[in-house]
Amino acid sequence: MFDTLIFSLIVGAAVGFSAGYLGSIMVLEKMALVGDAMSHVALPGLALGVLIGFSPQVGGFIFLFVSAILIWYLGRITKLSFETLVGAAFTLALAIGILMYGNNLDELETALFGDIAKVDLTYAAIAVLIAVAVVFLTRYIYKKIVLGLISEELAISKGVNIAQTNLLYLLLVSVTVAVGIQVTGTLLVGFLVVTPAAAARIISRNLSKYFVLSAVFGTISAVSGILLSSALNTNLPGPLVVISGVIIFAVVLVVRRAKKMMD
Amino acid sequence: MEYADDYILKVTNLKVEIQNQIILENLTFKVKKGTTLAIVGPNGAGKTVFFRTLLNLVPYTGKIDWAGKVKLGYVPQNVSVKDIPISVKEFLSYKDVVDVKAALAAVKLDDPAVPDKTLAVLSGGQMRRVLIAWALLDNPDVLLFDEPTVGVDVGGEESVFSMLSELKRKRNITMLLITHDVHLVKEYTDELLGLNKCVTYFGDSQQIVEPSLQQKIYGETVCLSP
């Protein structure tokens, strides 16, 4: 039990950090809901893993990965926004996923809300490795993405391939969401991409601070949610991760208001 | 190629089509090294697309010949910085700038508070200067400047122009400016390109004050403010 808690905390910290870091870009791109909606696309993949008998996370990742490429490609040829395309895809994926689970309600509950009791050493090690890779690759693309947000012409004239950068970004979101599902479930994993970054945005006056705070708030939300879940003796930390994150957001907001009033 | 006749840019029969619509056609003109060319025309005339074409961002037919290996600097008309908490220092660091102060001093932004300010809180004139500083970091031979006066107050306009003139003198930069500002064209440019899908005028920029020329370029009379 103690081992499981340690492994869960490691996974939570890794996912919280990388999701918060990635999410900071998503909030800048005004695509917060894309991260949330994209997480639901994993559901049919998770179901497939359960039905066929391989790791649901791998199934979820494959579905997210393929969906991300499809959405990126459709975005290029139709010029529709990611938001529109993801919005269209995620309800369909949710519907198919629920149908695939059928009467297997326990597994469906795990997929929707996560289950840290199933986290082991291997999963924790993979989560850390993936988080390190995600943070490293995000660092590589964030300047390009920010420059593209400021001015597409400036970015392209500096040699940035916007289409390729967006594809890599979507893939990073896919892999982070796939790993995070075990902690918060598909329904709530989008939270880790959005709320920590939103809290960081309120108090950041430069990008370095903003990115670091997003990652730190993501880590604190995930770790404190898991600790609370353990204290309350539940295997469903997702809702508590969300509540912890919202408390951080509220505290940041109150502190900022108080500081402004004192100035 | 190096031109013996001191032209830095030769455009020949340039045509740009986007989604089956002709945006530019039959563009043929030359720009001399070290001069400033004003590009003037009504909205939707294809001026910004022309810059994007020079930057190789849109496909075209015809010829764009630069004299030798020319470095281009670009100052866009619009930047979206309102929702991005990026400081001036961070923005310039995207070009691996070591000495931010020197980069800003080159565009006469000497206020020590500027590097730590976010781009979103800069005035229109300061923003223009930061973008010029960004463009100058590559030591460009040619500076493409889209609407230098957008978002700059009246006093600020003059100081931006005089700074550009000084830069031109010191660095011998060739400038191409898209503008609607008749005063800017008259005081700070050498040649004028009237553009409305095709070239409607090419010649001495001092002629901009002639109502007949403005009629020709804009399709309606525009009076020069005193």
Side-chain angles (χ1 to χ4, degrees):
Chain A
M1 185 64 200
F2 181 72
D3 281 354
T4 307
L5 177 63
I6 295 292
F7 296 144
S8 310
L9 287 172
I10 292 170
V11 173
V15 170
F17 192 90
S18 53
Y21 195 58
L22 261 181
S24 61
I25 294 179
M26 210 157 249
V27 168
L28 288 185
E29 293 206 79
K30 300 196 179 74
M31 294 211 309
L33 281 175
V34 172
D36 184 45
M38 249 183 88
S39 59
H40 306 331
V41 175
L43 198 62
L46 296 171
L48 207 63
V50 170
L51 289 176
I52 298 176
F54 63 94
S55 162
Q57 268 66 38
V58 173
F61 170 68
I62 291 169
F63 255 70
L64 279 163
F65 191 86
V66 172
S67 306
I69 291 176
L70 201 65
I71 286 164
W72 173 79
Y73 179 70
L74 285 174
R76 285 197 76 185
I77 61 170
T78 62
K79 305 287 175 204
L80 288 169
S81 67
F82 286 138
E83 195 140 320
T84 307
L85 292 163
V86 172
F90 95 95
T91 35
L92 175 69
L94 201 57
I96 294 172
I98 290 169
L99 283 175
M100 284 171 75
Y101 272 104
N103 290 328
N104 204 343
L105 294 181
D106 281 350
E107 291 290 351
L108 178 62
E109 187 184 287
T110 301
L112 291 177
F113 301 109
D115 184 357
I116 46 170
K118 290 178 181 166
V119 169
D120 56 14
L121 175 64
T122 313
Y123 195 90
I126 291 171
V128 170
L129 282 176
I130 287 176
V132 170
V134 165
V135 170
F136 182 76
L137 287 168
T138 307
R139 272 185 71 84
Y140 170 70
I141 59 169
Y142 87 74
K143 281 186 179 180
K144 298 177 179 190
I145 290 182
V146 169
L147 195 54
L149 289 174
I150 292 172
S151 162
E152 205 170 295
E153 284 92 356
L154 275 190
I156 298 172
S157 63
K158 201 179 174 291
V160 175
N161 185 328
I162 290 184
Q164 264 179 23
T165 308
N166 281 339
L167 177 63
L168 179 57
Y169 182 62
L170 281 176
L171 296 181
L172 292 175
V173 174
S174 302
V175 72
T176 304
V177 165
V179 178
I181 281 169
Q182 195 66 39
V183 181
T184 60
T186 51
L187 282 186
L188 302 176
V189 72
F191 159 86
L192 279 175
V193 187
V194 179
T195 315
R201 177 69 187 87
I202 294 174
I203 50 167
S204 301
R205 284 193 183 163
N206 60 57
L207 278 181
S208 318
K209 190 176 172 188
Y210 170 58
F211 287 131
V212 170
L213 282 180
S214 297
V216 169
F217 289 161
T219 311
I220 298 173
S221 305
V223 168
S224 51
I226 292 167
L227 285 173
L228 270 174
S229 156
S230 169
L232 297 172
N233 215 12
T234 160
N235 280 334
L236 295 175
L240 294 163
V241 170
V242 172
I243 289 166
S244 306
V246 172
I247 290 171
I248 292 173
F249 182 86
V251 169
V252 166
L253 200 60
V254 169
V255 169
R256 184 175 174 264
R257 297 287 300 174
K259 236 179 143 183
K260 258 196 165 175
M261 283 169 78
M262 281 162 72
D263 290 345
Chain B
M1 74 190 82
E2 286 285 349
Y3 294 129
D5 49 10
D6 212 24
Y7 285 104
I8 196 163
L9 169 64
K10 289 181 180 178
V11 175
T12 315
N13 284 329
L14 183 75
K15 184 177 180 182
V16 175
E17 233 179 303
I18 298 174
Q19 292 177 346
N20 294 326
Q21 284 197 20
I22 295 170
I23 310 295
L24 296 169
E25 62 181 340
N26 296 328
L27 258 60
T28 301
F29 62 91
K30 295 184 279 191
V31 181
K32 267 191 181 165
K33 196 174 178 187
T35 59
T36 300
L37 172 74
I39 301 165
V40 177
N43 291 330
K47 303 185 295 290
T48 299
V49 171
F50 174 59
F51 269 10
R52 288 173 61 90
T53 313
L54 291 181
L55 290 163
N56 219 5
L57 303 180
V58 286
Y60 63 90
T61 57
K63 278 169 82 177
I64 297 174
D65 290 325
W66 296 100
K69 282 196 172 181
V70 168
K71 270 195 225 163
L72 297 182
Y74 175 54
V75 183
Q77 180 182 350
N78 295 314
V79 285
S80 314
V81 293
K82 199 173 136 264
D83 297 313
I84 304 173
I86 182 169
S87 68
V88 171
K89 201 161 55 183
E90 286 175 321
F91 177 63
L92 293 176
S93 77
Y94 284 13
K95 277 208 170 170
D96 303 321
V97 183
V98 182
D99 194 344
V100 172
K101 275 186 185 166
L104 292 173
V107 290
K108 303 211 182 316
L109 270 177
D110 299 318
D111 180 352
V114 168
D116 291 318
K117 281 188 177 179
T118 54
L119 293 182
V121 303
L122 297 179
S123 69
Q126 285 176 322
M127 189 67 225
R128 289 277 124 189
R129 283 164 192 266
V130 169
L131 289 172
I132 295 167
W134 164 275
L136 290 177
L137 286 168
D138 295 327
N139 284 319
D141 305 295
V142 179
L143 193 61
L144 308 178
F145 206 148
D146 197 346
E147 296 283 7
T149 52
V150 165
V152 182
D153 58 45
V154 178
E157 282 177 10
E158 204 65 43
S159 68
V160 169
F161 300 152
S162 56
M163 182 204 70
L164 282 174
S165 292
E166 198 184 317
L167 277 173
K168 199 180 103 177
R169 271 199 310 277
K170 280 185 183 166
R171 304 194 187 195
N172 195 29
I173 298 176
T174 307
M175 291 198 201
L176 276 65
L177 309 177
I178 291 175
T179 184
H180 289 286
D181 190 322
V182 171
H183 172 69
L184 163 65
V185 174
K186 185 174 177 296
E187 296 298 324
Y188 294 97
T189 68
D190 306 302
E191 287 194 293
L192 173 64
L193 170 72
L195 192 66
N196 195 358
K197 279 191 182 177
C198 56
V199 177
T200 53
Y201 174 81
F202 189 84
D204 181 7
S205 61
Q206 298 304 306
Q207 298 299 315
I208 188 74
V209 292
E210 295 297 327
S212 60
L213 179 60
Q214 292 180 10
Q215 173 74 34
K216 201 172 171 182
I217 292 172
Y218 287 104
E220 59 181 299
T221 308
V222 179
C223 299
L224 182 63
S225 50

